[in-house]
Structures are given as C-alpha cells and as structure tokens.
Amino acid sequence: MQPRDFTLDPLRIDVLAAESCRGAILYGLYDLLASVGSAWSTITEGTATPPLTRVRIVARTGDPFRCISGVPVMPDATLEDADDAEIVCLPNFRIGALTPPREVLGPEIDWVMDRYRAGARLATACSGSALLADAGLLDGEAATAHWSMREIFRQRYPQVAFCPDRTLAFAGEGDSIVMSGGMASWQDLALYLIARYIGPEHASKSARFYCVDPKPDGQRHYAAPSRKLQSEDAVIQECQAWLADIYSESDLVGRMLARTGLPRRTFDRRFRAATGYSPKDYVQSLRVEEAKQFLEMDGQSVDAISEAVGYSDPRAFRRLFRKMTGLSPAEYRRRFSGKGFLSAR
C-alpha cells in the first residue's frame, strides 16, 4: 500500500465547540492543527505548501455565538452535517459540580458517540474528557483532565481511574482515545496527534514553529488540593476546619482521631470518602500548598518555610515537596514567584 499523500488527501479533523468552551483551547487546537505542512514551509522556504489537515469547527447549529470570555465562534459545520472526521477533538467545557454534562451537552455527546462508533479517533483537552466519562467510554480506563476535575471524577465517575498527574492519558482499543490534562496541554495533545497520524517530523516542525516544548512532567507543580469543606460528614468537616488553622503543629492525624472518638479504620474510611485523601496525605497536601504560597509571595529561606509549615527537617520537606510537585522548592520559586514571571523580560 502506498503511503498516504496528505497534500492530496488531508487528515480530516473536527473540533467540537459550544458556548461553555474556552476560546484559547478551541482556537489553539484549530490553529496548530490547521497549519501542519504550511506554516513551516512559509517561514523556511517563503512559500506555503498545501496544509496536511482539514480542520473544522463543529457546533450544534451553524449560527455564530460567543463562548467563555466572549470569544466569537463561527462554526464551519453543524452536528447534523459533520460525518466524515477521522479525528474528533473536544476542547474544555465548563463542567459544573451539580450539573451532569448530558443535561447541557446531550446532542454533542450523542454526536461524539456516533462518530466514535463510525471509527473516528477521539482527543480531549482539559475538561473535555468528562463528556466521554459521562458517555461511559472511560469505564475501567485511566483518564486525565485539568487537575481541578479530580473531585468531579471521584464523585461522578468512580469507575474511571482519574490520573491528574498525567499530561496525556490513553484509553480505548488501540489507544483510540487520547486525553490531555492541564489548560495549556492542548499543545501536547495537538503535537501527539500530528506525530501519530501524519508523522513525527511534522510534529517537530510544528513545535519549532510555535516554540512549544512538550511537558512530560505533567500537572503536579500546578495543582492545588481542593479547600472545599465537604458537607455530608459533619465530623470530617470539623476536622478540615480545625486543620486549616493549626496545620503546622505536630501529630495532626492522631489529634484528629482523638477529636472524633472514632475507631482508626472508621476514621480513615470516612476521611477518604469525604475528601479523596487519606488523613496523612491530606495534611501533607495542605502543608505543601501553604509552602507554595510562601514561595510565591515572600523571600523566606526554604528552611524557614519548612519550619513554618510543620517540618523540622528541611531535607525531609524538600523530598516531600519534590515528590508532590515534581519540582524542588527553589525550582518552584523560580518558576512561580512574581520575580520568576518577570525574569524573561
């Protein structure tokens, strides 16, 4: 079989859009994927070669609308008309904790399922994977999304193994579904699709044109634990409120256990059910998050910050911080402090 000539038979990609998606991801995916083959030749040869993809924005109707932040969207095709894509991309969709996606995006989910059954590959960015979880496509699979989706996946889709640390996750037969996690990881998603379906050399050229570096270390250094006090278990809610004020003190797990009067196994089970963390992991996450705030906002030494958040051994604190964030405290400060954001000037 002759290799496919994408200049004559472009890879067909549809990007789903709705009012609840974010323009940066929608148009970022569109622009990067639509420029494969032409952008690089324009800057290196002075003449654009034919693009190797045909990318369309697909929406429920053909009427223009505005998505999040008021970004205008002009669909290229409707759900009814779009039936030939080889790859369907789902950007983020604003997913409320109390509103299942199907209540708002039912026709879109049905269209995605129809395309998948017809043989299209699926690719999601940020919270887009929640639509696939809602349709049952991720049952028993590992999945990723923006780290803030952790609690929604835990409560609404317990049959899905949510992996917030991953930049990319794969599911389905033959990895027919690929998901990217963080808000800007649509770039990694687009580069992966280009490399897999068109060729690694084109992914390399796209990365060089857009000055994009893949992020193999995932989302750990961006993520923050949920501070929401759960409301269904008053005992654990009281523990959370208590911890917020005295997180730097010693023997917090033992003292919480004593406050509740519960047997240890019962306490551990109820705490994990309410928060998604074991008591020990919750305390560590709370302390590391507080340490992030110190690193971002002031000039205290790492040793002083270690002491301030409850660790008398700075070396142990550094090991824990790197384990949980993927960065040393000093690296985190360089990347996320106010001075770090201005250092490129």
Side-chain angles (χ1 to χ4, degrees):
M1 179 182 295
Q2 292 292 323
R4 178 171 174 177
D5 185 346
F6 289 100
T7 61
L8 300 177
D9 183 17
L11 184 67
R12 301 183 301 278
I13 303 172
D14 284 345
V15 184
L16 181 63
E19 292 181 2
S20 58
C21 69
R22 188 167 292 281
I25 300 178
L26 172 67
Y27 283 116
L29 282 169
Y30 181 96
D31 191 45
L32 202 160
L33 292 170
S35 66
V36 181
S38 59
W40 183 257
S41 63
T42 299
I43 64 169
T44 59
E45 302 171 12
T47 304
T49 56
L52 306 183
T53 58
R54 183 223 66 188
V55 185
R56 302 184 304 187
I57 293 177
V58 176
R60 190 179 301 189
T61 73
D63 297 331
F65 61 90
R66 292 183 181 271
C67 60
I68 295 175
S69 299
V71 177
V73 178
M74 177 65 77
D76 299 303
T78 68
L79 300 179
E80 184 178 356
D81 298 331
D83 60 2
D84 69 344
E86 298 166 272
I87 299 173
V88 171
C89 294
L90 285 69
N92 74 307
F93 297 92
R94 184 179 285 166
I95 305 296
L98 302 178
T99 306
R102 182 164 287 280
E103 289 187 14
V104 181
L105 298 167
E108 286 79 3
I109 293 174
D110 290 341
W111 175 78
V112 170
M113 291 292 291
D114 287 344
R115 295 297 90 231
Y116 187 60
R117 285 190 287 263
R121 303 301 179 104
L122 303 181
T124 71
C126 195
S127 62
S129 58
L131 274 66
L132 306 188
D134 208 70
L137 289 180
L138 302 182
D139 289 359
E141 301 273 12
T144 193
H146 190 273
W147 55 264
S148 64
M149 296 292 293
R150 172 178 175 158
E151 189 68 12
I152 288 178
F153 267 79
R154 184 180 73 85
Q155 293 187 357
R156 189 174 290 159
Y157 312 117
Q159 65 276 32
V160 179
F162 186 62
C163 305
D165 288 346
R166 296 189 187 180
T167 299
L168 297 177
F170 302 89
E173 185 176 354
D175 290 341
S176 54
I177 298 171
V178 57
M179 297 155 277
S180 66
M183 191 75 73
S185 63
W186 62 264
Q187 300 167 351
D188 300 88
L189 178 69
L191 293 175
Y192 170 82
L193 295 174
I194 295 167
R196 178 173 179 180
Y197 294 105
I198 300 178
E201 69 279 11
H202 293 289
S204 176
K205 291 175 180 178
S206 293
R208 293 170 67 188
F209 178 82
Y210 283 94
C211 300
V212 173
D213 292 323
K215 298 180 285 298
D217 51 351
Q219 305 182 73
R220 285 184 296 166
H221 42 262
Y222 300 106
S226 173
R227 299 297 188 90
K228 179 176 69 69
L229 298 181
Q230 65 79 38
S231 58
E232 295 182 359
D233 191 324
V235 171
I236 304 305
Q237 182 187 54
E238 192 276 335
C239 287
Q240 287 180 280
W242 178 74
L243 282 174
D245 293 328
I246 53 90
Y247 62 85
S248 63
E249 297 183 13
S250 61
D251 191 27
L252 294 179
V253 175
R255 291 165 65 186
M256 276 195 295
L257 183 62
R259 288 173 68 88
T260 65
L262 297 171
R264 180 58 186 263
R265 288 187 178 180
T266 301
F267 171 69
D268 288 351
R269 174 179 54 78
R270 285 174 59 174
F271 197 97
R272 184 179 291 277
T275 68
Y277 293 86
S278 71
K280 178 182 176 181
D281 288 345
Y282 187 90
V283 170
Q284 290 180 338
S285 296
L286 186 62
R287 287 174 166 176
V288 167
E289 188 60 23
E290 292 298 327
K292 288 180 181 180
Q293 306 304 313
F294 283 120
L295 291 166
E296 292 168 15
M297 301 302 295
D298 65 33
Q300 288 190 71
S301 70
V302 174
D303 287 5
I305 292 173
S306 171
E307 183 75 24
V309 300
Y311 294 101
S312 58
D313 183 348
R315 290 177 297 178
F317 167 71
R318 285 179 169 87
R319 288 194 297 269
L320 174 66
F321 193 93
R322 181 179 287 278
K323 178 182 177 182
M324 296 187 67
T325 69
L327 299 172
S328 71
E331 290 169 336
Y332 185 91
R333 170 174 273 160
R334 284 195 295 271
R335 184 174 295 195
F336 292 105
S337 70
K339 292 181 180 179
F341 284 119
L342 295 173
S343 62
R345 292 189 61 181

